[in-house]
Amino acid sequence: MDSRAAAEPIPDVSPSPFPNPSAVNRTLEERLGLDLVQAYDWDWWGTLVQSGESLLLILSTLWCILLARVVCQKLRLHGSADLCFAMEFILVILPCILLVSVAVDYSGYIGLLMLGATLWFLRTSRALERARTRVQFDLGGNRPMCLSILRALTHLITAVCILAIDFGSFYRPYRKSRQFGAKLMDTGIGLFVFTMAMVSRRTRHWSDLRRSVLYSALPLILLGLARTVSILTLGYGQDAHEYGQHLNAFFTLGFTKFLGALVSILARKDLHLLPLGFGLLVIHQFGLSVLGISDYVMNEDVERSSFLNANREGLVSLPGFVGLFLLSIYVNRWMVAKSQLSYSEFVRKLRRLFYLVLILWTSFFISAYEIGISRVTCNLGYVIWMLAIGSTTLCASFGAIDFAINSVMPWDPNPSEDQEKGLLSGEAVVKKRGGSVVPFTISQALNKNGLTFFLVANVLTGMVNIFLGPEDRTHSESVIILLVYMFLATKLAHELLKRGIRLA
């Protein structure tokens, strides 16, 4: 079995050196070279299976994070930052690595085991009864813990997969789709946009736009440029079917942040983000389905001779990611609209979030059948899928942490008011060296220095590919390399957390 998701060669179709005088009378499909290309089809049932596998792994990793929270508090490990990190690494990182490689055949059984353990915990701890007796639920202001968990979850799974895919032990159906599909690695860029919006607000003034460009969008675009230059200089391979020949994920995130901030200035209040985002997605889908732009992007016979043709995947998908960004901002603002809730208010918010999850998954099933799910073009179906996965994870962590776990074993924070606020928001870290740390240590480390963690992971991935030859490694060797790789990346973020240092 081939151990790499290598790009298939693109046929060389040389155009005529002389311009066609009748080009002005050609249709859009003819101008884009699609006059002989039929519409691409997708496997509806296969898409549902892929989505189910992806969601199972994401929720399984989330369950491991929650387990680490319970175990660390039961064993009173939060007095030692290193012991807490070690326990979370064993309970979170190790299972994630195993579930994308050698243990993937047992993922269904493991999911059932996790479900059974959850039901046992709820019954024996009487979590639901205890939740009813609570006076109020403090969600933590603008950064609820469930949002921080989702951001860390996205970083962890993506970091594991970008290296694991180069090993023969990696579960091949998790690879990114070339055209249509809902595989695990298809969730990466979409969830990064979703979580980026979770810490963003709509642009109210031009000064807000300037701040978004300088401190958020521009650094990402510069990183994308640096990555492109490095790849061209080192001759490191890049699959042009992902974002194009010269573009990459950093460009997509940077331009999505910039364009999203620019478009959101049209919204006078947060509610206006809904019609703005959906309107943009409808126009985007119209262009993909009716004008034939989707076929243009996926047609391998179109030569990458110009900048547009060479980078059509990254450029065409931008409107879809901007639409996802706008809608995700609204979800975030709804989540944090009120942080101090009574029991009835909390149940009402949780119920509405659950209804949203049902609506999104129903829409996903319809979209998978009617228009397909395509990360390459970021079509309407893909945006709905990302919203469904993001909302499902938020709903699960929201209910598990704030409703169940905190009702059974509330965290006893430091008397300091600042540390208490930080515990709830997910932003606080150790105030002094040697002090106690808050729950979800690795998750908070990644929230504080997520970009630094991801850059280190990319550098380590390149070094492994250059010096260790992952395609020649056995299954056991691949697991060991992945463990060392994740230890180095997460430990760096953890050490920065311990020292209260925030880089990026």
Side-chain angles (χ1 to χ4, degrees), residues 322-336:
V322 173
L324 172 61
F325 181 79
L326 296 175
L327 296 178
S328 301
I329 291 179
Y330 177 76
V331 173
N332 171 53
R333 302 316 300 168
W334 175 78
M335 285 286 296
V336 303

Side-chain angles (χ1 to χ4, degrees), residues 153 164 166 174 189 230 235 381 401 446 485:
L153 194 64
D166 294 315
Y174 283 161
I189 186 64
S230 300
I401 299 171
L446 300 188
Y485 152 79

Side-chain angles (χ1 to χ4, degrees), residues 60-76:
S60 296
T61 308
L62 171 64
W63 190 91
C64 291
I65 294 176
L66 301 177
L67 175 65
R69 155 75 157 86
V70 173
V71 171
C72 287
Q73 186 164 347
K74 281 288 186 181
L75 299 180
R76 301 181 183 276

Side-chain angles (χ1 to χ4, degrees), residues 17 187 195 198 300 419 493:
T187 65
T195 56
M198 290 290 104
E300 296 187 1
Q419 286 190 345

Side-chain angles (χ1 to χ4, degrees), residues 16-26 30-31:
S16 171
F18 302 102
N20 186 353
S22 61
V24 293
N25 297 321
R26 291 189 299 171
E30 290 173 335
R31 293 180 188 179

Side-chain angles (χ1 to χ4, degrees), residues 112-319:
L112 291 175
L113 179 63
M114 292 176 175
L115 177 61
T118 302
L119 296 176
W120 175 84
F121 174 81
L122 293 175
R123 180 177 180 181
T124 57
S125 65
R126 299 174 58 197
L128 302 183
E129 290 83 355
R130 295 187 181 188
R132 294 190 183 97
T133 63
R134 293 174 61 180
V135 177
Q136 71 175 12
F137 296 79
D138 192 335
L139 306 185
N142 290 329
R143 191 71 61 84
M145 184 63 74
C146 59
L147 299 183
S148 299
I149 294 295
L150 177 57
R151 293 185 70 205
L153 194 64
T154 303
H155 281 87
L156 284 176
I157 295 178
T158 303
V160 169
C161 287
I162 60 174
L163 177 59
I165 191 175
D166 294 315
F167 293 98
S169 60
F170 185 75
Y171 185 50
R172 311 318 284 176
Y174 283 161
R175 295 185 301 176
K176 290 179 181 178
S177 305
R178 283 291 182 83
Q179 298 173 353
F180 292 94
K183 301 179 181 180
L184 176 65
M185 292 192 70
D186 288 325
T187 65
I189 186 64
L191 286 181
F192 268 115
V193 171
F194 185 87
T195 56
M196 182 171 65
M198 290 290 104
V199 293
S200 302
R201 297 183 179 184
R202 63 181 176 86
T203 304
R204 292 175 171 82
H205 309 286
W206 289 109
S207 58
D208 296 337
L209 178 62
R210 190 183 311 115
R211 190 180 306 111
S212 296
V213 172
L214 291 178
Y215 296 106
S216 298
L218 185 59
L220 289 169
I221 294 174
L222 293 177
L223 284 173
L225 181 61
R227 188 179 192 277
T228 298
V229 172
S230 300
I231 287 177
L232 294 177
T233 302
L234 298 175
Y236 192 77
Q238 173 173 298
D239 188 355
H241 294 79
E242 293 185 18
Y243 304 99
Q245 190 171 334
H246 308 106
L247 302 182
N248 52 61
F250 292 114
F251 279 119
T252 296
L253 293 174
F255 283 115
T256 296
K257 177 69 176 180
F258 167 66
L259 295 174
L262 182 63
V263 174
S264 67
I265 203 171
L266 300 175
R268 296 299 180 184
K269 54 184 178 179
D270 292 335
L271 185 62
H272 294 166
L273 293 171
L274 285 178
L276 198 61
F278 276 120
L280 179 61
L281 290 172
V282 169
I283 296 173
H284 179 56
Q285 187 61 45
F286 177 83
L288 294 175
S289 300
V290 179
L291 301 182
I293 297 179
S294 179
D295 292 339
Y296 159 67
V297 172
M298 299 179 184
N299 182 16
E300 296 187 1
D301 291 333
V302 176
E303 186 182 8
R304 299 181 183 270
S305 55
S306 64
F307 181 81
L308 174 61
N309 286 345
N311 301 282
R312 55 186 182 271
E313 292 87 354
L315 296 174
V316 169
S317 63
L318 272 178

